[in-house]
């Protein structure tokens, strides 16, 4: 089961804030009065008498006051400004590698309320070629990352791993065959309406290499991974509703293969 981290973070913020508020309204004043009288409200030992000295806050209140500002700041940052993600699969190779840590702009496509995902402020719309994080229609609590291929109203077709958008062929330029002696995969430049990005395809195409022409419905987007024959995307589970957009991936800030490896910063840079 996937963990709904935004919901957990929201409850932590609300819970710690309520504890602090209730204590401030109903209990803190009494402690201050006891402190002014030189009385400690905490017994020294079971059965013992109240001892003199400062009145201490309950441990729960101390933790709430300490963590609430930090939790609230993190909640605002990741909900409305920028959120970090780790790439878990090879579906976006060669653009993104497994173990890449990326940053996602949460306001590029409009400000949304956390948890409910309701858009409250329009700022921008996805463009063809953007690398976007979203919730796919078949897994509504799991983040996916793919490239925007089709906008609402676009006609999308794939012939032998060559993309056609509104009847226009997306140019491809071979960069490298892997391995050179007995190629199994090709790395290419692909251009979508003037924007170039890297993509990979198998020499022996998969069943996803050919799809009949489809029309993207209003309010939806057609998504594909850059690793064309190793990506489950809109070719498999359909179009992504606008309400399920999370944000635009814009930078790699670290690469870390596993806990036993050393983090690397060689791949730091913007995402094309």
């Amino acid at each position: 089961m996937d963990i709904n981290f935004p919901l957990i973070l929201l409850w932590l913020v609300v819970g710690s804030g309520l504890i602090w508020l209730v204590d401030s309204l109903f209990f803190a004043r009494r402690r201050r009065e006891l402190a002014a009288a030189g009385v400690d409200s905490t017994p020294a030992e079971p059965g013992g008498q109240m001892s003199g000295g400062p009145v201490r806050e309950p441990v729960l209140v101390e933790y709430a006051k300490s963590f609430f500002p930090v939790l609230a700041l993190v909640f605002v940052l990741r909900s409305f400004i920028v959120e970090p993600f780790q790439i878990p699969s090879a579906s976006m190779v060669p653009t993104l590698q497994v173990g890449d840590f990326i940053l996602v702009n949460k306001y590029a496509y409009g400000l949304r309320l956390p948890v409910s995902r309701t858009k409250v402020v329009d700022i921008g719309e996805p463009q063809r070629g953007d690398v976007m994080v979203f919730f796919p229609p078949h897994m509504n609590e799991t983040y996916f990352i793919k490239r925007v291929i089709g906008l609402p109203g676009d006609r999308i077709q794939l012939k032998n791993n060559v993309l056609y958008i509104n009847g226009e062929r997306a140019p491809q330029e071979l960069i490298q065959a892997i391995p050179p002696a007995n190629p199994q995969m090709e790395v290419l430049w692909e251009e979508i309406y003037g924007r170039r990005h890297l993509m990979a395809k198998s020499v022996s195409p998969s069943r996803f290499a050919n799809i009949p022409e489809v029309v993207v419905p209003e309010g939806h987007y057609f998504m594909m991974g850059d690793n064309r024959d190793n990506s489950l995307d809109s070719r498999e589970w359909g179009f992504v509703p606008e309400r399920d957009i999370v944000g635009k991936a814009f930078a790699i800030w670290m690469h870390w293969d596993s806990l036993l490896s050393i983090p690397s910063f060689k791949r730091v840079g913007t995402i094309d």
Side-chain angles (χ1 to χ4, degrees), residues 199-267:
M199 55 89 72
K201 62 181 182 180
S202 299
V203 173
S204 300
S206 71
R207 64 187 179 92
F208 297 116
N210 294 278
I211 59 170
E213 185 175 88
V214 296
V215 179
V216 184
E218 286 300 316
H220 291 73
Y221 296 89
F222 192 91
M223 312 296 298
M224 287 203 299
D226 290 344
N227 194 353
R228 290 289 163 78
D229 294 300
N230 293 280
S231 172
L232 294 179
D233 45 43
S234 288
R235 295 170 291 178
E236 175 75 8
W237 34 251
F239 308 102
V240 175
E242 189 276 338
R243 66 176 180 274
D244 292 334
I245 292 174
V246 174
K248 179 181 179 181
F250 69 93
I252 302 170
W253 64 275
M254 184 178 71
H255 181 86
W256 194 3
D257 286 321
S258 67
L259 291 175
L260 300 179
S261 65
I262 298 175
S264 168
F265 297 94
K266 292 182 179 179
R267 289 182 48 76

Side-chain angles (χ1 to χ4, degrees), residues 40-265:
D40 186 351
S41 61
T42 306
E45 295 291 341
Q49 296 181 348
M50 296 292 189
S51 60
V55 179
R56 293 174 300 191
E57 290 181 332
V59 173
L60 185 61
V61 175
E62 289 183 358
Y63 278 121
K65 291 176 67 174
S66 299
F67 286 115
F68 174 75
V70 178
L71 291 171
L73 178 61
V74 171
F75 181 75
V76 171
L77 287 175
R78 77 181 303 279
S79 297
F80 301 108
I81 300 176
V82 67
E83 185 172 1
F85 291 92
Q86 181 183 12
I87 301 302
S89 73
S91 69
M92 284 296 291
V93 168
T95 304
L96 298 172
Q97 305 287 338
V98 176
D100 281 347
F101 284 74
I102 66 170
L103 296 175
V104 175
N105 185 326
K106 298 297 290 287
Y107 58 85
Y109 304 137
L111 292 179
R112 299 171 185 272
L113 296 178
V115 182
S116 71
R117 308 174 195 167
T118 303
K119 183 188 286 190
V120 292
V121 179
D122 280 322
I123 295 177
E125 301 293 337
Q127 301 298 314
R128 299 181 193 91
D130 287 357
V131 177
M132 190 168 79
V133 174
F134 57 93
F135 295 98
H138 68 302
M139 298 177 68
N140 203 33
E141 298 297 333
T142 301
Y143 292 122
F144 270 46
I145 181 167
K146 308 288 180 184
R147 191 175 297 276
V148 179
I149 299 298
L151 305 180
D154 281 349
R155 294 180 287 110
I156 307 297
Q157 187 174 15
L158 209 60
K159 300 178 183 178
N160 197 30
N161 263 330
V162 177
L163 180 63
Y164 292 81
I165 303 176
N166 297 322
E168 296 185 15
R169 183 182 185 275
Q172 295 181 351
E173 177 186 342
L174 180 64
I175 297 175
Q176 183 182 13
I178 304 173
N182 183 25
Q184 303 296 313
M185 176 179 290
E186 295 177 338
V187 178
L188 310 95
W189 282 111
E190 182 177 66
E191 184 174 323
I192 301 178
Y193 280 72
R195 297 180 63 179
R196 295 214 311 169
H197 63 269
L198 291 172
M199 55 89 72
K201 62 181 182 180
S202 299
V203 173
S204 300
S206 71
R207 64 187 179 92
F208 297 116
N210 294 278
I211 59 170
E213 185 175 88
V214 296
V215 179
V216 184
E218 286 300 316
H220 291 73
Y221 296 89
F222 192 91
M223 312 296 298
M224 287 203 299
D226 290 344
N227 194 353
R228 290 289 163 78
D229 294 300
N230 293 280
S231 172
L232 294 179
D233 45 43
S234 288
R235 295 170 291 178
E236 175 75 8
W237 34 251
F239 308 102
V240 175
E242 189 276 338
R243 66 176 180 274
D244 292 334
I245 292 174
V246 174
K248 179 181 179 181
F250 69 93
I252 302 170
W253 64 275
M254 184 178 71
H255 181 86
W256 194 3
D257 286 321
S258 67
L259 291 175
L260 300 179
S261 65
I262 298 175
S264 168
F265 297 94

